[in-house]
Amino acid sequence: MSIFTVMRLVVSCMDRRLNSYIKKKYQDAIVLRNAGANVNSLLMSLEKFNNKVDEVILLPHTDCGAMKVVYSSLKEGKKITSLVEEKLVSQFSSKKFSSLSELERLNMEIQEENLKRIFGDKVRAELVDVNKIEIPPSNDPYMVYVTVPSQLVRLSSNIYHISAEDKEIWDSLDIAVYAMNITKIISQNDKLAEKIRNMYPSVTVSTASF
């Protein structure tokens, strides 16, 4: 009798509140995470898994910081970096929505359709309600941990996780630094840490593995 291993791929937001939820439900999956579960910024990372996965799970969430950036940009005229405008906000410029909750559901629909263009009917989506999941308490300052796509490590609930190829992390970092005022970033390797340090000189950047 053959034993087949189902390879799952999770595409999710970088939000710290999802760390425990993803680890508990999808501990065997490869995880890609960024601001807004934005497929448009993960195309290089996703293509590496084309024809290699059996299931793709999309996990955006409520009370999403990235969607707040989109909402404030399109409805209130607030400015963010040109990279965020290009990679994230532009997807919604022709769409109709009147509230953040409508925008969050619209984002799920857009990203699910984007994933289906790559993976077909292997994709399923869930909008995670952050008010209905367990979020372990943490009094530590918020920070961002940047990794390549991998199985999810055990991260505490103060750590935002960007999991993507190096070239695809920068719009998420722009949101973390300029919209969310995160002041500490951790990378897995020295070369990337130096690039991040040069891009965001006001932020503390270090190298570590969790």
Side-chain angles (χ1 to χ4, degrees):
M1 181 175 64
S2 299
I3 299 176
F4 296 94
T5 300
V6 175
M7 184 174 177
R8 297 195 290 182
L9 184 67
V10 169
V11 179
S12 184
C13 297
M14 66 183 186
D15 196 281
R16 62 183 184 82
R17 293 167 293 182
L18 300 185
N19 292 348
S20 179
Y21 179 82
I22 297 174
K23 183 65 177 177
K24 183 177 180 180
K25 290 195 67 174
Y26 304 106
Q27 59 183 335
D28 62 336
I30 301 296
V31 178
L32 280 72
R33 300 178 71 178
N34 70 357
N38 180 19
V39 173
N40 194 40
S41 283
L42 294 172
L43 296 178
M44 182 186 302
S45 300
L46 288 164
E47 282 296 337
K48 291 191 174 184
F49 295 98
N50 196 8
N51 300 319
K52 296 179 181 178
V53 296
D54 302 290
E55 184 180 24
V56 181
I57 304 102
L58 173 67
L59 295 176
H61 66 96
T62 61
D63 193 35
C64 177
M67 291 304 101
K68 291 177 182 178
V69 168
V70 173
Y71 189 92
S72 64
S73 177
L74 295 178
K75 296 295 187 181
E76 300 167 3
K78 293 184 179 179
K79 298 299 182 182
I80 189 65
T81 66
S82 59
L83 184 61
V84 175
E85 291 283 348
E86 174 193 349
K87 293 292 186 179
L88 179 65
V89 177
S90 63
Q91 298 173 88
F92 304 91
S93 58
S94 63
K95 305 295 184 181
K96 293 183 179 180
F97 58 91
S98 58
S99 66
L100 181 61
S101 60
E102 285 184 12
L103 177 60
E104 289 168 346
R105 186 155 293 279
L106 176 62
N107 181 52
M108 182 178 69
E109 293 171 359
I110 289 174
Q111 305 313 330
E112 182 178 14
E113 185 61 32
N114 288 339
L115 283 174
K116 285 182 176 179
R117 292 192 184 100
I118 303 171
F119 299 102
D121 59 6
K122 296 176 182 178
V123 179
R124 66 179 178 86
E126 173 192 354
L127 183 63
V128 180
D129 187 339
V130 295
N131 295 310
K132 296 181 179 180
I133 63 173
E134 180 182 356
I135 304 171
S138 176
N139 295 319
D140 295 326
Y142 296 157
M143 64 185 71
V144 174
Y145 184 44
V146 181
T147 72
V148 295
S150 62
Q151 288 188 320
L152 187 69
V153 293
R154 187 175 296 278
L155 299 176
S156 61
S157 59
N158 68 308
I159 300 176
Y160 291 82
H161 185 200
I162 299 174
S163 176
E165 296 297 323
D166 291 356
K167 292 182 179 180
E168 298 182 320
I169 66 174
W170 301 103
D171 55 316
S172 294
L173 284 178
D174 278 0
I175 289 175
V177 174
Y178 300 128
M180 300 167 59
N181 299 314
I182 300 293
T183 59
K184 184 173 183 180
I185 299 171
I186 299 173
S187 171
Q188 283 185 319
N189 67 77
D190 291 329
K191 288 184 178 180
L192 181 58
E194 185 62 26
K195 289 181 181 179
I196 296 171
R197 192 176 293 113
N198 291 335
M199 184 66 69
Y200 308 101
S202 64
V203 174
T204 300
V205 183
S206 59
T207 305
S209 295
F210 287 88

